[in-house]
Amino acid sequence: MQAFTLPEFYLTYPARMNPHLERARTHSMAWAKAMGMIDSPEPGGGVVWDEAELARHDYGLMCAYTHPDCDGAALELITDWYVWVFFFDDHFLAHFKYTRDIEGGRAYLDRLERFMTREGETPPEPENPAEAGLLDLWARTVPAMSTDWRERFIESTHNLMVESLWELVNIEQGRIANPIEYIQMRRRVGGAPWSANLVEYVAAEVPHRFAHTRPLEVLRDTFSDAIHLRNDIFSYQREVREEGENSNAVLVFEKFFDIPTQEAAEMTNDLLTSRLHQFENTALAHVPMLAGVKGATPDELAAMTAYVKGLQDWQAGGHEWHLRSSRYMNEGAVSGGLGGPTGLGTESLTPGRLGVKRRTEQHTFVPNKPVGHLPLPKLYMPFQFKESSHLDSARDHAVEWAREMGLFEAGSPWDEQRMRGIDLPHCAAMIHADATAEQLDLSSDWLSWGTYGDDYFPLAFGVKRDIAGAQLCAERLSLFMPLDAGETPPSAIPLEKGLADLWRRTAGPMTEPARAVFRKAVEDMLGSWVWEVANQAQNRVPDPVDYVEMRRRTFGSDLTISLAKLAHYELLPPWIHQTRVVRELETAAQDYACFTNDLFSYQKEIQYEGEMHNMVLVVENFLGVDPLKARDVVADLMKARMEQFEKLTGEDLPQLFEDFSLEPDVRDALTRHAELLKDWMSGILEWHRRCVRYRPEELERLYAPSPVEVNASFSFLPSGLGTSAVRVRPANV
């Protein structure tokens, strides 16, 4: 029996069939035999695949569906890549997952990576079918693509291979990931970003200057998440019930929310639908805007359009293949059919239980609803906060600095009374408890500038729905962070003046590589403020995955953490920041702190500011629950992320030291970084507990009964095209 009834899927376009299917089927079978994949032995007897098994999987059919327009030669190559990746997955499963051989699995993966050569490198002689297949495919593929594409393909192939160890360790420990960890790790181990790279090979390579922009990254990530979530639904029976795997979204939701399997499958499908909606929104709204802002040439625009179409074809074809492959649970599923109209915006074939409803709900937010005070649950915090002895002097300094930068000018959302009440130096004194007096002043000023900027953007640009103005403002702010620490333009508004001063004081002592890392952290935060304005313009409550990832940026997490982290930046090899352990340490800490703010600020943001960027509201909207239930879900996510953080520091970080034989100074730097994150989380929680900013009586004092006041005299705004604004202001400040 099937574990659950398959849900109705949101399908906005039908699958189409490549006419070269039989050619690809014949070729891929012969190629798999030549590489030694057919009848490759398993450790305990039997074989990974025989000829009949490969024929049943029918990867030729999958590629004919997912790449309907390429020629026969390209379809053969693409099909070979998918034969290889599925063989690798099953080969690794048989040799290392079933046997729980973590050390053997690590050695296997390390050697396999050597077959992805760069210019001038020579691969070793292959010793197994996975190595032979990768050697052959690499030689046939990369000469046709740019160096930039090759590097992106190496990264995505590396991720899907190496992160298999994460799955293996979780199986060994009987551990099921929390939902946030699962989504971001599945994106690496699941291979869909790798598929997106192959879409470029078939359709068109994304121009280098656009490949790393947020809209193109969102296209890739939403494409990837949708593929993985769909696969998890179809493969639950085989992976969870038959093979004992525990990396599956249905299982993750089932255990985290303590709900029946059927309900977990529906929830997985709801998230899949939400990710597809964001893919469409990005393709139709944000990619054209990016092309306009960046001045895309006709060839560049054509390439990005072909890429979007290629991703769209993959989604439709991948779904159709899941309906037909013997690899998956697909009894009773509804086919989207073949032929018919295609393209973004085509009317849904089978909208699914929440397809259209989910899209509508995202855009029906009513601002300034009187939600009242949100009672806070007990929050899990295992670390004790510390406090700097330089706090009093930092408080006086921060107010004087803000006055000097113009943050209290007429029409500003701030004045001295409000700034002293917010008491950001107190937050700085806990998150950087060991800072010197000068360092604490700098940290306090960055917190002041970032909080002021976060208040400024929605008031200056959000109410007028001025996305272009917000984008231009963010781009101009980048001019005040020169990588050579040289001259900056004259500042036009306090936000620019403050950034110019902070950059001079912060970046001056840094090396240029560290300076680049820090500037990216600031630019990511600036971009996230534009993202908030864009959501406000569309009256769009964010998708849950998008919100979590962007909340880290809107909160300035990387910026505030980097102020301490960059002190030992040169000690750490660049690759260490991309390891799962370090990456998850930081994102787990960031999520805990961001959700802390969302719990405390719920009434302030929803009722008084008309905001939609709050995790409690996002959960309310996505799950269709009341604020108290959404609050509890957020608190549970915080606890899960904190428990993951404890596991990472207690078990995974010491293992990382041993796995890579790290030198003592590198170990000490990473240990200090983990301790910093503990201070950062505990300090932020304590600041929220003490700060008056979110208390009901303070909100009543600051805001008039009617919270919206239109005021055209926003005197510190730049003038000119795209810069007009009105503001929402508390009447009694």
Side-chain angles (χ1 to χ4, degrees):
M1 292 180 61
Q2 290 191 165
F4 52 84
T5 301
L6 287 170
E8 291 183 71
F9 292 94
Y10 175 69
L11 305 171
T12 54
Y13 29 81
R16 295 181 295 120
M17 176 68 72
N18 191 300
H20 304 293
L21 168 60
E22 290 306 324
R23 173 177 170 176
R25 278 173 168 160
T26 302
H27 170 85
S28 64
M29 181 64 74
W31 183 80
K33 289 177 181 177
M35 296 300 108
M37 296 175 183
I38 303 301
D39 297 329
S40 176
E42 292 184 339
V47 297
V48 178
W49 286 352
D50 57 21
E51 189 171 335
E53 179 76 4
L54 178 56
R56 282 195 299 273
H57 292 175
D58 205 350
Y59 300 117
L61 180 65
M62 183 192 81
C63 294
Y65 276 136
T66 55
H67 302 281
D69 297 323
C70 67
D71 63 26
L75 187 63
E76 287 179 354
L77 176 61
I78 292 296
T79 304
D80 291 348
W81 269 114
Y82 281 94
V83 169
W84 175 81
V85 79
F86 280 101
F87 176 83
F88 158 74
D89 189 52
D90 288 351
H91 191 249
F92 190 81
L93 178 75
H95 284 261
F96 305 106
K97 285 187 179 179
Y98 284 158
T99 61
R100 309 295 195 262
D101 182 4
I102 296 175
E103 291 305 315
R106 184 173 287 113
Y108 172 94
L109 295 173
D110 287 346
R111 180 175 161 83
L112 192 56
E113 283 209 59
R114 296 171 61 190
F115 291 86
M116 296 186 293
T117 54
R118 294 178 172 86
E119 201 69 40
E121 296 179 345
T122 303
E125 287 295 317
E127 295 179 353
N128 61 55
E131 293 177 353
L134 185 54
L135 176 66
D136 177 78
L137 290 167
W138 200 254
R140 292 162 57 196
T141 307
V142 297
M145 307 301 286
S146 70
T147 300
D148 177 64
W149 181 90
R150 183 190 300 203
E151 289 303 314
R152 287 187 279 117
F153 193 53
I154 287 174
E155 179 183 358
S156 58
T157 309
H158 163 88
N159 288 341
L160 75 87
M161 292 192 306
V162 170
E163 302 298 3
S164 297
L165 289 172
W166 171 76
E167 292 184 321
L168 179 55
V169 171
N170 281 345
I171 292 172
E172 174 68 19
Q173 297 178 347
R175 176 180 179 269
I176 298 172
N178 63 69
I180 298 175
E181 174 193 9
Y182 178 77
I183 293 296
Q184 59 190 30
M185 285 302 299
R186 183 73 162 98
R187 196 179 288 168
R188 296 175 71 88
V189 74
W194 176 89
S195 295
N197 290 143
L198 289 176
V199 167
E200 290 185 72
Y201 177 88
V202 169
E205 184 174 330
V206 175
H208 174 63
R209 72 187 183 107
F210 291 96
H212 303 285
T213 59
R214 170 169 161 78
L216 272 295
E217 289 178 349
V218 171
L219 283 179
R220 181 202 64 209
D221 291 345
T222 51
F223 165 81
S224 301
D225 293 343
I227 287 175
H228 296 149
L229 292 165
R230 179 184 294 108
N231 179 266
D232 285 352
I233 293 171
F234 279 99
S235 63
Y236 179 92
Q237 182 82 25
R238 177 177 62 85
E239 291 181 347
V240 177
R241 294 288 175 89
E242 297 171 11
E243 296 177 352
E245 291 209 38
N246 53 14
S247 292
N248 185 290
V250 178
L251 180 65
V252 168
F253 293 153
E254 186 180 351
K255 299 303 181 185
F256 181 81
F257 291 101
D258 191 22
I259 55 178
T261 306
Q262 183 69 52
E263 189 175 340
E266 298 285 356
M267 185 181 292
T268 304
N269 188 46
D270 290 347
L271 187 56
L272 162 60
T273 302
S274 182
R275 300 307 279 157
L276 288 173
H277 285 167
Q278 188 174 357
F279 176 89
E280 294 165 353
N281 184 268
T282 302
L284 291 169
H286 296 281
V287 171
M289 185 185 301
L290 172 72
V293 169
K294 296 289 187 182
T297 67
D299 286 347
E300 289 173 330
L301 186 57
M304 288 190 287
T305 302
Y307 176 63
V308 170
K309 177 184 174 297
L311 297 178
Q312 168 188 294
D313 285 337
W314 211 112
Q315 288 285 358
H319 184 87
E320 192 71 20
W321 178 68
H322 276 83
L323 299 179
R324 298 170 183 269
S325 176
S326 67
R327 189 176 177 90
Y328 301 111
M329 179 187 85
N330 46 30
E331 181 182 337
V334 178
S335 171
L338 297 174
T342 63
L344 285 168
T346 301
E347 186 177 354
S348 174
L349 298 173
T350 53
R353 187 170 63 92
L354 284 180
V356 175
K357 183 172 182 284
R358 174 71 65 206
R359 187 197 301 276
T360 302
E361 287 177 344
Q362 276 193 297
H363 297 272
T364 55
F365 173 68
V366 178
N368 304 111
K369 288 196 300 185
V371 295
H373 175 64
L374 183 69
L376 294 177
K378 184 176 181 180
L379 300 177
Y380 177 61
M381 169 51 70
F383 310 122
Q384 180 62 43
F385 71 90
K386 299 184 293 185
E387 190 172 283
S388 170
S389 60
H390 305 295
L391 173 57
D392 289 339
S393 62
R395 281 173 168 151
D396 292 335
H397 164 85
V399 170
E400 291 308 311
W401 180 84
R403 181 177 291 109
E404 183 182 347
M405 295 302 112
L407 270 56
F408 303 151
E409 287 184 5
S412 167
W414 281 16
D415 61 12
E416 181 175 341
Q417 179 185 1
R418 192 170 194 188
M419 184 173 181
R420 287 192 181 276
I422 295 173
D423 201 5
L424 292 164
H426 187 209
C427 185
M430 290 184 286
I431 66 176
H432 297 145
D434 298 325
T436 64
E438 182 180 5
Q439 290 170 338
L440 187 60
D441 286 347
L442 183 61
S443 182
S444 299
D445 294 345
W446 271 112
L447 287 182
S448 299
W449 180 85
T451 306
Y452 175 89
D454 192 40
D455 286 349
Y456 173 91
F457 262 70
L459 303 183
F461 307 110
V463 177
K464 290 288 286 184
R465 311 305 195 248
D466 187 4
I467 305 172
Q471 183 67 48
L472 290 171
C473 181
E475 291 188 1
R476 178 171 160 80
L477 283 166
S478 290
L479 300 177
F480 294 86
M481 299 183 288
L483 285 179
D484 61 1
E487 295 297 315
T488 61
S491 58
I493 55 176
L495 202 61
E496 294 177 353
K497 185 176 182 180
L499 182 57
D501 177 76
L502 289 168
W503 185 256
R504 175 186 55 78
R505 292 158 58 195
T506 308
M510 290 180 180
T511 63
E512 192 157 320
R515 207 175 284 154
V517 170
F518 188 69
R519 184 167 101 162
K520 185 179 185 304
V522 180
E523 288 180 331
D524 284 346
M525 183 171 70
L526 295 173
S528 73
W529 294 345
V530 178
W531 170 80
E532 289 185 319
V533 171
N535 284 335
Q536 193 169 353
Q538 293 185 321
N539 197 41
R540 174 182 176 270
V541 177
D543 162 271
V545 177
D546 188 39
Y547 179 78
V548 169
E549 294 174 341
M550 291 304 291
R551 186 67 176 105
R552 298 165 188 164
R553 298 183 180 187
T554 62
F555 194 66
S557 304
D558 282 341
L559 188 157
T560 55
I561 291 172
S562 293
L563 286 170
K565 179 173 72 174
L566 291 175
H568 50 256
Y569 179 82
E570 297 301 322
L571 285 174
L572 300 176
W575 58 265
I576 205 78
H577 300 284
Q578 299 306 314
T579 60
R580 177 190 64 85
V581 175
V582 174
R583 195 178 61 252
E584 285 292 320
L585 266 179
E586 293 182 347
T587 58
Q590 289 171 358
D591 292 343
Y592 186 94
C594 292
F595 298 166
T596 295
N597 180 264
D598 287 353
L599 286 173
F600 278 84
S601 65
Y602 178 78
Q603 183 183 20
K604 171 181 174 289
E605 292 179 343
I606 308 305
Q607 180 172 332
Y608 291 103
E609 296 176 350
E611 265 285 357
M612 61 189 69
H613 299 102
N614 185 290
M615 187 63 177
V616 179
L617 179 69
V618 169
V619 172
E620 280 182 70
N621 185 267
F622 180 73
L623 295 182
V625 296
D626 62 44
L628 293 179
K629 176 60 178 175
R631 173 205 65 183
D632 292 343
V633 170
V634 173
D636 288 345
L637 285 169
M638 290 172 63
K639 185 172 187 290
R641 291 299 263 167
M642 180 62 79
E643 289 173 340
Q644 183 190 352
F645 182 90
E646 291 180 287
K647 178 184 181 299
L648 288 161
T649 53
E651 300 175 17
D652 297 10
L653 194 59
Q655 187 63 52
L656 179 75
F657 296 162
E658 298 304 318
D659 289 344
F660 294 100
S661 302
L662 298 180
E663 296 296 327
D665 57 345
V666 176
R667 297 184 183 210
D668 290 344
L670 286 173
T671 301
R672 289 198 304 275
H673 183 47
E675 292 301 314
L676 160 73
L677 293 174
K678 294 176 184 178
D679 289 344
W680 191 75
M681 290 185 287
S682 60
I684 286 172
L685 176 59
E686 185 63 20
W687 177 76
H688 279 86
R689 284 172 169 163
R690 297 194 197 182
C691 183
V692 302
R693 181 175 169 90
Y694 310 107
R695 294 177 185 171
E697 60 272 20
E698 178 70 2
L699 296 174
E700 292 170 6
R701 183 187 75 81
L702 286 177
Y703 292 89
S706 176
V708 178
E709 177 186 328
V710 178
N711 183 347
S713 61
F714 211 178
S715 60
F716 57 87
L717 283 171
S719 60
L721 181 65
T723 58
S724 61
V726 295
R727 62 179 293 238
V728 179
R729 70 184 289 250
N732 299 323
V733 173

